[in-house]
Amino acid sequence: MQSNVTIDQKQVAELGIFHAEREAARDLEAVMGTLSSNPKYLYPTIGKGFSGLENAERFYRWFFENFSPKVVDGKLIRQWVNETSVSQEYDVTLDIEGQLETHRILGVLFVEGNKLGGEIVYASEKTIKRMLGPMFEELAILDEPYGS
């Protein structure tokens, strides 16, 4: 990832934490306000991803309406912060038609300028499908596992 970070490490941490909090609250406007003009969402475990504000908004709308309501438990396992990113590892338990599924998700929120340039998400294909819904079929194959 190219990085042109214009904020300090404390601000990187605050931005990542704010984004995660607003995502948990299903606050679309606030989440979108944390993103750069061309965010990238990368899924290296399947070698695919998407980019762009329009796609990010489509993703979050679907995520908030279809994935988030199924979350019955979420636990932050650990968090790491450096000068360019915030990494957050979670166990998320979903209720899928009365069956509980726990998914481990590691998200790396990376900064471009003073906003989030997107996220690199490490999770199983099943988890990614649950998170993305119909957008899963639209993911583009990545030439480079972490974009360019």
Side-chain angles (χ1 to χ4, degrees), residues 1 11 14 32 37-38 43 46 51 53-54 56 58 69 72-73 76 88 93 98 101 104 108 112-113 115 121 148:
M1 290 272 111
Q11 292 168 312
E14 290 169 351
M32 294 304 295
S37 61
N38 187 29
Y43 305 89
I46 60 168
S51 63
L53 273 176
E54 184 177 310
R58 283 180 52 225
V72 295
D73 190 35
L76 178 65
Q88 298 167 327
T93 302
E101 297 178 354
R104 177 69 50 101
V108 181
E112 289 180 359
K115 301 271 189 169
V121 178
S148 57

Side-chain angles (χ1 to χ4, degrees), residues 43-113:
Y43 305 89
T45 55
I46 60 168
K48 296 182 178 182
F50 69 88
S51 63
L53 273 176
E54 184 177 310
N55 283 329
E57 184 172 341
R58 283 180 52 225
F59 161 68
Y60 280 113
R61 284 188 187 282
W62 195 93
F63 184 85
F64 292 155
E65 292 171 10
N66 298 279
F67 182 88
S68 296
K70 292 177 174 59
V71 174
V72 295
D73 190 35
K75 179 181 175 188
L76 178 65
I77 305 298
R78 31 186 96 70
Q79 176 173 279
W80 307 266
V81 178
N82 66 26
E83 298 80 18
T84 62
S85 64
V86 176
S87 300
Q88 298 167 327
E89 183 179 15
Y90 288 94
D91 274 345
V92 176
T93 302
L94 306 176
D95 182 339
I96 306 296
E97 299 176 4
Q99 297 294 315
L100 297 182
E101 297 178 354
T102 299
H103 300 267
R104 177 69 50 101
I105 302 168
L106 173 61
V108 181
L109 300 163
F110 57 90
V111 176
E112 289 180 359

Side-chain angles (χ1 to χ4, degrees), residues 58 62 66 129-139:
R58 283 180 52 225
W62 195 93
N66 298 279
K129 283 181 177 180
R130 293 239 187 263
M131 292 172 72
L132 292 171
M135 281 187 72
F136 183 84
E137 299 303 324
E138 301 173 26
L139 294 176

Side-chain angles (χ1 to χ4, degrees), residues 4-62:
N4 182 22
V5 178
T6 60
I7 57 179
D8 64 30
Q9 188 169 334
K10 181 177 183 241
Q11 292 168 312
V12 168
E14 290 169 351
L15 178 61
I17 291 166
F18 178 76
H19 176 88
E21 288 172 348
R22 298 326 309 151
E23 187 177 283
R26 303 181 204 172
D27 184 344
L28 179 64
E29 185 176 335
V31 168
M32 294 304 295
T34 66
L35 302 178
S36 69
S37 61
N38 187 29
K40 295 171 182 63
Y41 287 76
L42 311 172
Y43 305 89
T45 55
I46 60 168
K48 296 182 178 182
F50 69 88
S51 63
L53 273 176
E54 184 177 310
N55 283 329
E57 184 172 341
R58 283 180 52 225
F59 161 68
Y60 280 113
R61 284 188 187 282
W62 195 93

